[in-house]
Amino acid sequence: MKLPKYRFISNEIKDNISSNLWQVGYQIPSETELANQFSASRMTARKAVDELVNLGVLERVPSVGTFVKEPVSQSSLLEIRNIADEISSRGHVHKMTVLSKLTLIPKDNSDFSRSLNSSTVFKIVMVHWENELPIQLEERYVSAAQIPLFLQQDFSKVTASEYLSSITPVTEAEITVEAVMPTKILIHHLQLDDNTPCLKVTRITHSYGKPVCYAVLYHPADRFKLTSHLDLAQ
């Protein structure tokens, strides 16, 4: 089936971007120039550009032009993936900064204490970077009884998620998502403006009925999105 002309143009633009011929911030040819290049009407060229703007691939700057947009990081809400793998799959560089490692003896009725039901809890706090931008602040609590060697790991080289999945399979997970305004700690470590909200993802994982991990993940709302896909035909 022959592609519509506007779709052919949009595919060519996407090919130029994916091959790094046109990188983030590159000003693409004007609609008139695209129309001439592909022997199409300006309306057809505009439709191709509109499609990519709506997909978040391109960004129009009024009275200036249209530019290749920085891709928004995304994760699946229905799938637990290692953030390092997600970032690598986008062709970007991942790194981690460990902020703290703690051993806690819960004495209050905190959410993580109730969820893990453990007398001793290990906690790590770290920041994940995508290229040169901080994309996630991770607070992770694990049951010391279930994961006794947790704090001995080098979390500048292996993610907590990767380590946990290597020793105990996730068989059940509870996930909640909410929008929150950033604390001073989040503003500092995620390099946020005061009025930029965060997506707060709370995830409790179990392995064969035993609670293993309570994670709270904060993402800058303007650099991150959650997606999901349900195949209802199966």
Side-chain angles (χ1 to χ4, degrees):
M1 182 177 178
K2 187 176 180 180
L3 283 176
K5 193 58 158 295
Y6 82 90
R7 181 60 55 77
F8 178 80
I9 297 173
S10 68
N11 284 349
E12 288 293 308
I13 294 173
K14 285 190 289 186
D15 286 345
N16 286 340
I17 295 171
S18 62
S19 66
N20 287 323
L21 182 62
W22 293 357
Q23 299 184 359
V24 172
Y26 178 85
Q27 183 174 2
I28 72 168
S30 68
E31 291 166 6
T32 299
E33 291 171 326
L34 288 172
N36 291 336
Q37 179 182 344
F38 292 98
S39 301
S41 68
R42 184 174 177 181
M43 184 178 298
T44 298
R46 171 174 281 272
K47 188 174 182 180
V49 173
D50 283 345
E51 179 180 63
L52 296 179
V53 169
N54 292 334
L55 289 173
V57 176
L58 300 176
E59 180 178 24
R60 282 197 178 94
V61 178
S63 303
V64 179
T66 303
F67 299 83
V68 177
K69 188 176 180 181
E70 175 76 36
V72 176
S73 305
Q74 64 181 36
S75 292
S76 171
L77 187 58
L78 303 178
E79 182 181 12
I80 297 177
R81 294 184 63 192
N82 180 15
I83 188 171
D85 293 338
E86 290 183 5
I87 291 172
S88 296
S89 71
R90 293 190 282 271
H92 292 174
V93 177
H94 168 261
K95 68 177 180 179
M96 296 175 285
T97 304
V98 179
L99 303 181
S100 64
K101 291 182 176 182
L102 300 170
T103 300
L104 307 176
I105 309 296
K107 295 181 180 179
D108 57 10
N109 198 30
S110 60
D111 290 340
F112 75 84
S113 176
R114 292 197 309 271
S115 299
L116 294 176
N117 191 28
S118 177
S119 60
T120 305
V121 172
F122 294 142
K123 176 186 178 181
I124 60 166
V125 181
M126 63 173 56
V127 175
H128 296 271
W129 298 71
E130 182 165 359
N131 291 341
E132 296 304 315
L133 277 178
I135 197 67
Q136 180 191 94
L137 186 141
E138 171 185 353
E139 293 180 1
R140 190 177 292 266
Y141 307 81
V142 303
S143 166
Q146 296 290 325
I147 316 293
L149 301 181
F150 184 70
L151 292 189
Q152 298 180 28
Q153 308 310 307
D154 184 351
F155 290 118
S156 66
K157 296 180 179 179
V158 60
T159 66
S161 176
E162 185 178 5
Y163 171 68
L164 291 173
S165 64
S166 71
I167 63 172
T168 180
V170 174
T171 57
E172 181 183 354
E174 305 167 39
I175 302 173
T176 60
V177 181
E178 57 187 312
V180 298
M181 293 307 296
T183 62
K184 290 182 179 180
I185 292 175
L186 291 174
I187 289 171
H188 174 71
H189 289 295
L190 293 179
Q191 301 178 9
L192 301 171
D193 294 329
D194 292 356
N195 59 351
T196 300
C198 290
L199 286 178
K200 177 184 177 182
V201 180
T202 303
R203 190 167 66 207
I204 307 166
T205 53
H206 298 74
S207 182
Y208 299 108
K210 295 182 179 180
V212 173
C213 175
Y214 182 98
V216 185
L217 314 172
Y218 296 94
H219 306 87
D222 61 346
R223 298 179 214 150
F224 190 84
K225 65 181 178 180
L226 286 164
T227 62
S228 63
H229 174 76
L230 292 174
D231 188 350
L232 301 179
Q234 294 185 355

